[in-house]
Amino acid sequence: MLKNGISASMMCVDFKDTKKDLQALSDAGIDYLHFDIMDGDFVPNYALGPCMINNLRTATNIPFDIHMMVEHPEQKLEYFDLKEGDVVSIHVESTHHLQRVLANLKKKGIITGVALNPATPINLIEYVLDVIDFVLIMTVNPGYAGQALVEATLDKITELRAYLDKHNKGNIAIQVDGNVSFENAVRMKKAGANNFVAGTAGLFRKDMTIVEAGTKLRSCI
Ligand code: DX5
Ligand code: ZN
């Protein structure tokens, strides 16, 4: 099960002083560290990877949430030293073998999610509902921090919540990723989101500290 709460977008940390940001994220009671794995192919950018994840294992007790923004994740997951209880999300658009990838992760005790780009319809998840703990709704097009919200994705969250209820899958959580600002978090929560990936809009801000932003964001969700 994916916990309700806040996942910190690790591509937004200050890499010059990662230790300081990790301490602040811990002080802020952040629920997960969200790692955007980008291959320059599925998304038009490169970011984060197995080295960073392995390196940070011993630096924090906050659980890991790994968002695979890569083509053919089934070929890349073996690069990762995954642990039971890790969270991993796989994009519908990234593989011909969605069910197999998710089922294999589930067998290893991974908390699994299926991710949808803004333009991808909800009904593509129908035949993987038995092998997922959550659905990740991209509320921006993946690849970059600091983008504007794709407004249509708010209705998509509402529709997804109704879709899950209709399929007797009310226990499946909804994670949202992209421009989770304080204002948008309120709207996303109202639409049915449970877990909020926070980057430049809601956590790593120039006008407040991580602890201040984390506290404010938590009051919005
Ligand atoms: C977008 C990334 C997000 C991003 C969200 O591709 O997946 O995790 O960092 O943070 P914002 O939109 O608030 O900068
Ligand atoms: Zn992400």
Side-chain angles (χ1 to χ4, degrees), residues 55-124:
N55 186 267
L56 293 184
R57 282 286 181 192
T58 52
T60 177
N61 292 324
I62 306 174
F64 285 9
D65 165 19
I66 301 168
H67 178 185
M68 297 294 287
M69 296 176 166
V70 304
E71 287 293 344
H72 304 301
E74 67 279 5
Q75 295 166 12
K76 315 284 171 58
L77 280 165
E78 63 184 84
Y79 306 159
F80 293 82
D81 184 14
L82 297 177
K83 309 263 183 258
E84 204 176 324
D86 280 348
V87 175
V88 176
S89 53
I90 303 291
H91 270 267
V92 168
E93 310 88 353
S94 67
T95 176
H96 297 304
H97 305 289
L98 187 64
Q99 199 280 342
R100 181 192 288 155
V101 184
L102 291 165
N104 283 342
L105 287 169
K106 201 103 222 63
K107 256 188 252 160
K108 291 183 186 142
I110 304 295
I111 297 169
T112 54
V114 66
L116 299 173
N117 280 339
T120 305
I122 289 166
N123 59 12
L124 295 184

Side-chain angles (χ1 to χ4, degrees), residues 34 36 67 69 177:
H34 181 91
D36 284 316
H67 178 185
M69 296 176 166
D177 186 2

